[in-house]
Amino acid sequence: MHVLVTGGAGFIGGHLAAAFLRDGHDVTVLDNLEPFYAEGIKRHTIDVHREAARDCDVAYRFVEGDVRDESTVTDLVADADVVVHQAAQAGVRESVDNPRKVTDINVDGTVNLLQAATEAGVDRVILASSSSVYGKPRSLPYDESHPTEPVSPYGVTKLTQEHMARVYTELHGLPTVCLRYFTVYGPRMRPNMAISNFVSRCVNGEPPVIYGDGQQTRDFTYVDDVVDANRTLLTSDAADGEVLNIGSSDTISIQELAETVRDQLAPDLEIVYESAREADAEHTHASVSKARERIDYEPSRTITEGVGEFIEWYQANREWYEPLVRSS
């Protein structure tokens, strides 16, 4: 199978592309190397892909380009069996500061891709959505029928992607699946996320910083679980036309998360508190019952287990990863 992964040099897309290569698929990655965070992390990811392709004797191609470039997208999609669409301008706070850019990339880029996929007759398009589509919780955990009232431009663009995918499925018969990810973390994760930030600061003897009172809760999802869901959907039509939550179904407060990291790495440090950031969700918590029913999805780690694994990875890869994290 030939898989096109947009945003495939990024955190989640990078893990997906590497897993598909190791599974014996040919992979093309499209990524514009957006400097939202250290480009060196993305370059390292591309090296991981090339090594996996050599080891598994499969074809790998990296294309530096943009999903907003209609001709590039059309050419690459034409050669693909399945498209895994991870490309997006990430960041809730970035979307508050620059909503036009986020809309341009996340919405217009997705329309380019869906149109090209329809014309090429690909087997399936798997799209990365987000728990940000839910907004303020009316009940927890969120199931897929919960009202969608996003509180950030980023969340609005992700919800718009979902509606576009649904329309292309209904109008043109294009098989699409939208996966609502809940705060994904793991090796090579973005340096501006809470877990990587807490670990970096504690390793360097600096206090973890919490924005707000720390009582916000998050459902953190280990990246391997996201990979497993996408792997299944490469060949399964069990969720075509649907949206699925992909989370851990476990929650932790930001306060408890900071304490967990601090206690393991630098127990004498005092936690520092700063003003809450606008447009951040207060709570997230995923119901994964639908994903379990449709694709046998099962989270593999508790948050505590996953954070412990990330700390081990960070320490083993500190020489190359930490300078990039701390320069971001």
Side-chain angles (χ1 to χ4, degrees):
M1 179 183 294
H2 185 175
V3 185
L4 170 63
V5 184
T6 69
F11 167 46
I12 299 174
H15 280 273
L16 292 172
F20 299 154
L21 289 163
R22 294 187 184 108
D23 288 343
H25 301 298
D26 296 332
V27 173
T28 297
V29 162
L30 172 65
D31 200 295
N32 67 354
L33 301 180
E34 162 73 31
F36 180 60
Y37 62 93
E39 184 180 317
I41 298 175
K42 295 184 178 183
R43 293 290 184 188
H44 184 89
T45 295
I46 294 167
D47 290 341
V48 169
H49 294 164
R50 288 173 174 151
E51 182 179 351
R54 286 193 299 269
D55 290 346
C56 299
D57 194 25
V58 291
Y60 172 72
R61 180 186 179 196
F62 171 73
V63 177
E64 185 172 351
D66 198 301
V67 291
R68 291 171 291 182
D69 184 336
E70 185 176 350
S71 62
T72 296
V73 170
T74 299
D75 289 346
L76 295 181
V77 170
D79 294 330
D81 298 306
V82 174
V83 178
V84 179
H85 182 39
Q86 305 292 310
Q89 176 59 63
V92 167
R93 287 176 290 279
E94 177 74 10
S95 77
V96 173
D97 294 337
N98 200 344
R100 290 185 185 277
K101 179 182 178 184
V102 172
T103 302
D104 192 25
I105 296 172
N106 296 2
V107 177
D108 292 352
T110 297
V111 172
N112 282 344
L113 186 130
L114 291 169
Q115 185 64 32
T118 298
E119 293 170 358
V122 302
D123 295 340
R124 181 165 298 102
V125 179
I126 306 167
L127 299 97
S129 187
S130 168
S131 60
S132 294
V133 303
Y134 289 115
K136 296 179 181 178
R138 296 189 184 180
S139 61
L140 290 172
Y142 293 119
D143 63 23
E144 290 83 356
S145 64
H146 187 283
T148 47
E149 299 173 339
V151 296
S152 68
Y154 173 77
V156 171
T157 65
K158 284 297 181 179
L159 184 58
T160 303
Q161 285 184 331
E162 291 185 6
H163 284 307
M164 280 294 183
R166 174 183 56 80
V167 166
Y168 270 81
T169 296
E170 294 177 358
L171 287 181
H172 305 297
L174 176 68
T176 65
V177 184
C178 296
L179 302 181
R180 291 175 176 168
Y181 299 149
F182 282 69
T183 316
V184 185
Y185 71 102
R188 302 195 306 276
M189 69 186 293
R190 284 196 349 239
N192 58 350
M193 303 294 285
I195 293 173
S196 51
N197 193 286
F198 291 162
V199 172
S200 174
R201 292 184 67 86
C202 288
V203 163
N204 288 281
E206 301 170 5
V209 177
I210 290 177
Y211 296 93
D213 62 7
Q215 298 312 300
Q216 315 95 301
T217 59
R218 292 289 181 272
D219 188 326
F220 288 98
T221 311
Y222 199 73
V223 68
D224 287 2
D225 294 334
V226 170
V227 169
D228 286 345
N230 279 271
R231 271 175 163 159
T232 299
L233 289 166
L234 286 185
T235 56
S236 172
D237 63 2
D240 283 355
E242 301 284 351
V243 296
L244 300 178
N245 287 340
I246 301 297
S248 71
S249 70
D250 188 15
T251 62
I252 190 170
S253 71
I254 299 301
Q255 176 75 34
E256 186 180 352
L257 175 64
E259 291 173 351
T260 297
V261 173
R262 188 269 315 271
D263 291 349
Q264 183 165 338
L265 293 173
D268 294 333
L269 291 176
E270 295 290 334
I271 295 171
V272 173
Y273 299 84
E274 295 189 2
S275 298
R277 293 174 167 175
E278 59 182 340
D280 278 349
E282 185 175 359
H283 302 289
T284 65
H285 185 192
S287 167
V288 297
S289 297
K290 184 177 179 182
R292 184 178 289 122
E293 176 186 339
R294 295 298 180 93
I295 61 172
D296 292 326
Y297 174 76
E298 199 64 51
S300 62
R301 294 161 177 82
T302 66
I303 293 170
T304 302
E305 290 169 343
V307 168
E309 288 189 34
F310 176 72
I311 290 172
E312 289 180 7
W313 178 88
Y314 188 106
Q315 291 172 322
N317 292 271
R318 185 178 176 185
E319 181 177 351
W320 72 267
Y321 180 72
E322 185 175 284
L324 300 174
V325 171
R326 296 187 65 77
S327 65
S328 297

